[in-house]
Amino acid sequence: KKPVYLLNNAIDAFSLAVAKPFCNNNSKRVQIVYGSGTNTHNEDFLVAADAILAILEVYGYVDFIVYGYLDLDSRFDKFSQQIFKVPFVSSSDYYRALGSCDISIAPLSATIFNDCKSNIKFTESALYKIPCVCSDVAEFNTIVQHGKNGFIVHTTSEWYDALSSLVTACDYRQKIAEQAYFDVIDYYHWQKIATEQCAKLL
């Protein structure tokens, strides 16, 4: 029955200094990236799995890059030439890899536990100017404006439509990513978190 306070993740000065998108040398291909820090994300990924399969089927120039822990079922076997799995890596290596990709996904199943998670996948993607497609969970809704700085999706068809719109339009990807970067810096800059959240607690 005591008061509960929320202190958001902040974008610190070091991250601001080093964050930048890296050049994707193979510009003819579009890379969708998914970072999975633990094997508990197998269930979460199922939310987006059917849409990813459809995207790989329709767009042969799309690659799906997985960093960390994820078990892909046998349906993905036919797309082995478009799928790249990288073992768990350090945060610096992961951020460098993230910055070299084109689209990020943040699938989460609809649970109370996931509604308590931060929106770190969106903020990381935005910092490296990568558009992100997100599941409809609580914290994503505090910052993501659908179709403007990212995407909030529910169904397989919505996942597919959002990903397809980004895959087929480079200018649109850049527009979404630029707005996401601006909004994340404005909302989560360490100075703003300090003054508007930390100071009130202290």
Side-chain angles (χ1 to χ4, degrees), residues 5 37 50 65 70 75 78 114 128 140 161 186 189 200:
Y5 302 95
D50 288 344
I65 319 296
L70 184 65
R75 295 177 299 165
K78 65 180 291 188
N114 284 338
Y128 285 85
F140 287 134
D161 289 344
D186 181 61
H189 191 284
K200 293 178 180 179

Side-chain angles (χ1 to χ4, degrees), residues 181-189 192:
Y181 177 84
F182 174 82
D183 290 342
V184 162
I185 296 299
D186 181 61
Y187 199 88
Y188 297 113
H189 191 284
K192 190 163 188 177

Side-chain angles (χ1 to χ4, degrees), residues 33-151:
V33 63
Y34 177 52
S36 175
T38 70
N39 56 15
T40 60
H41 286 299
N42 282 327
E43 181 179 352
D44 291 323
F45 176 70
L46 293 177
V47 172
D50 288 344
I52 293 293
L53 283 165
I55 289 290
L56 294 175
E57 178 78 52
V58 174
Y59 304 105
Y61 57 88
V62 170
D63 294 326
F64 182 48
I65 319 296
V66 179
Y67 281 87
Y69 309 101
L70 184 65
D71 297 325
L72 296 174
D73 62 59
S74 60
R75 295 177 299 165
F76 287 87
D77 292 347
K78 65 180 291 188
F79 303 107
S80 60
Q81 297 300 311
Q82 294 168 257
I83 296 173
F84 300 88
K85 295 185 68 175
V86 183
F88 190 81
V89 296
S90 67
S91 58
S92 59
D93 285 342
Y94 171 68
Y95 290 139
R96 182 175 180 84
L98 179 65
S100 70
C101 293
D102 302 291
I103 302 166
S104 174
I105 62 170
L108 289 171
S109 55
T111 65
I112 294 174
F113 179 78
N114 284 338
D115 266 334
C116 296
K117 286 187 174 182
S118 76
N119 53 28
I120 190 69
K121 283 194 183 302
F122 176 79
T123 57
E124 289 172 343
S125 299
L127 198 57
Y128 285 85
K129 297 186 177 180
I130 309 298
C132 190
V133 182
C134 311
S135 287
D136 183 13
V137 296
E139 275 301 298
F140 287 134
N141 282 290
T142 64
I143 186 68
V144 179
Q145 299 177 59
H146 184 78
K148 183 178 180 182
N149 65 1
F151 294 88

